Amino acid sequence: MSAPIDPAEVLAEFIDTVAPYDPNPGADPVAIVGVRTALGEGVFPMSDHVIRAMCKALASYRDPEDRGLCNGCGGRRLDENLHCQDCGRLHGILGQVIADHARRVAAEDHT
Ligand SMILES: [Zn+2]
């Protein structure tokens, strides 16, 4: 297991990172966010710039576990073999080969 991360420290670091680019540095905060955990705590005035930076960070975020959507059920839980954990559909080249084979077998059964 990886070392614990202090959420208050992470938030402080995010604010420090984006603050130099605030086009309106003296403006009143739009929110006050309090963070209290076993690792630490802090109270953070959040400027409009910080909130907008969070929105941009979220928009560009891609989870390493994100393997797209299942064509069968629309679920997001595809494992590393592109096998849907919800409906069992197999994606990717192997999934295509298996699906094509299944269709051929089904067609032969009906003739
Ligand atoms: Zn599925």
Side-chain angles (χ1 to χ4, degrees):
M1 195 172 146
S2 57
I5 295 173
D6 180 351
E9 202 172 283
V10 170
L11 195 49
E13 189 177 341
F14 186 89
I15 292 169
D16 286 349
T17 301
V18 305
Y21 310 103
D22 192 337
N24 204 358
D28 288 338
V30 294
I32 307 290
V33 175
V35 177
R36 184 181 303 133
T37 69
L39 294 170
E41 62 179 73
V43 175
F44 304 95
M46 310 283 279
S47 69
D48 180 70
H49 177 71
V50 169
I51 301 298
R52 289 177 191 279
M54 290 176 103
C55 292
K56 287 176 189 163
L58 183 60
S60 64
Y61 176 77
R62 291 293 172 269
D63 196 284
E65 296 298 312
D66 182 1
R67 299 182 180 95
L69 298 177
C70 172
N71 291 335
C73 70
R76 291 183 173 274
R77 301 194 319 131
L78 302 181
D79 69 13
E80 66 275 8
N81 297 315
L82 301 180
H83 184 223
C84 180
Q85 300 298 293
D86 294 320
C87 73
R89 181 159 178 174
L90 195 56
H91 297 76
I93 293 170
L94 180 58
Q96 192 62 50
V97 168
I98 290 172
D100 289 349
H101 181 71
R103 264 193 298 275
R104 273 195 303 275
V105 169
E108 285 165 11
D109 284 349
H110 292 297
T111 52

